[in-house]
Amino acid sequence: MSSYPFEHLEKVYSQPFFDLIQQARNVYLQHWQNNEVQLCTLLSIKTGGCSEDCAYCAQSARYQTGVETEHLMSTDEILEVARRARANGSTRFCMGAAWKGVREGTSAFDSVLETVRQVSKLGMEVCVTLGQLTDRAAQQLKAAGVTAYNHNLDTSPEFYSQIVTTHTFQDRLDTIRAVQRAGMSVCCGGIIGMGETVADRLRMLEVLTNFDPPPESVPINCLMAMPGTPLEDQPPVDVFELTRLVATTRIAFPRAKVRLSAGRSRLSREAQALCFFAGANSIFYGNRLLTAQNPKADADHELLRDLGLIPQQPFSDSPPPAAVLAE
Ligand code: SAM
Ligand code: DTB
Ligand code: SF4
């Protein structure tokens, strides 16, 4: 996998719009060809009360957002949601916790490990996003059956400290390295619409292109401006800027799942269609993200049907693919 220098990404991104999305579509067709979109179910297994000050997040304890702090869900409660997700056509189940990071040896982490062991028997990809990890915690998650670990860079290294002050961009990179050393796939992307420049977005992609192995999936989130957070008044992202970023991501990561993540509830069907054309091939599916709203499942099925896209087929009897490694 070659890394992409910033100047190259900028050149790709700045082409005339139709040239860019056509190039991205060609890359998509070379590597994917089947018009499949992966449906991923997201579940917040531990909501709110987080020590961190991420300016976009409704779950930070520092902001009055109306999100109630909840206990870690039990394995049985989570399994019930996971079974329903599989029955509704999801092939990936992602569990998120509002933690700064994992504390090894605690009963909470042991419970998460047991949950992963149970969920991984259902034949979906199992993704978790639990904050910072040590090498040992990463190894334990891998052994329990996690296929991918989500840990976003969120923005450029230059802009990061304007969004978060309680941990650093380097902390994020350190956790990602621990995930890779343990042999889990990395799901890593960011958020647009936080007041960053286009250059910040491309810098984030540049850092991602230096990952070895490359990320298995790249979530592109549009900021959901959550009431009570410092970013509550941010205006929505321009749809052509979003499509350009999706297209550039597809070109830079031909084999990654490019996930059109948070913020779809504010996108028109036409805007989402543009993003699929530009190479997005995965979405979060179901009425809720972690705390925020997502389009209704029925509306998503209708959209995919109208576009002739098909939900990714379940992994029949075989287990989901293990870590997707280098090109
Ligand atoms: N606490 C863990 C962490 O920070 O990695 C895991 C959960 S955190 C909520 C996962 C990701 O959700 C963040 O990195 C961010 O990219 C995304 N996210 C959170 N709030 C968001 C919002 N309001 N709009 C868009 N994306 C958001
Ligand atoms: C990711 O990149 N986006 C998801 C998932 N990974 C964990 C989270 C979106 C959260 C949106 C805001 C909320 O629901 O609170
Ligand atoms: Fe906590 Fe994660 Fe939200 Fe930051 S993004 S406040 S670490 S839950």
Side-chain angles (χ1 to χ4, degrees), residues 228-259:
T229 65
L231 299 181
E232 64 182 347
D233 292 327
Q234 281 295 315
V237 174
D238 174 73
V239 67
F240 299 124
E241 289 193 14
L242 168 62
T243 312
R244 278 182 183 276
L245 193 71
V246 168
T248 308
T249 306
R250 168 52 66 214
I251 292 163
F253 302 96
R255 295 172 63 169
K257 288 264 162 54
V258 176
R259 187 164 303 115

Side-chain angles (χ1 to χ4, degrees), residues 50-54 56-57 59-60 97-100 167 172:
C50 184
S51 62
E52 303 305 280
D53 68 354
C54 311
Y56 49 80
C57 189
Q59 303 198 71
S60 167
W99 286 335
K100 178 186 178 95
H167 57 260
R172 303 297 281 181

Side-chain angles (χ1 to χ4, degrees), residues 42 50 52 54-59 95-101 128-132 149-154 160 167 172 189-192 194 219-226 229 261-263 289-292:
L42 192 53
C50 184
E52 303 305 280
C54 311
Y56 49 80
C57 189
Q59 303 198 71
M95 294 170 271
W99 286 335
K100 178 186 178 95
V128 288
T129 180
L130 312 171
Q132 294 173 22
Y149 195 84
N150 169 242
H151 202 64
N152 290 338
L153 293 180
D154 283 328
Y160 197 78
H167 57 260
R172 303 297 281 181
I191 309 178
I192 62 175
M194 300 189 294
I220 305 289
N221 295 277
C222 294
L223 176 73
M224 306 202 67
M226 304 302 277
T229 65
S261 300
L289 292 161
L290 292 172
T291 68

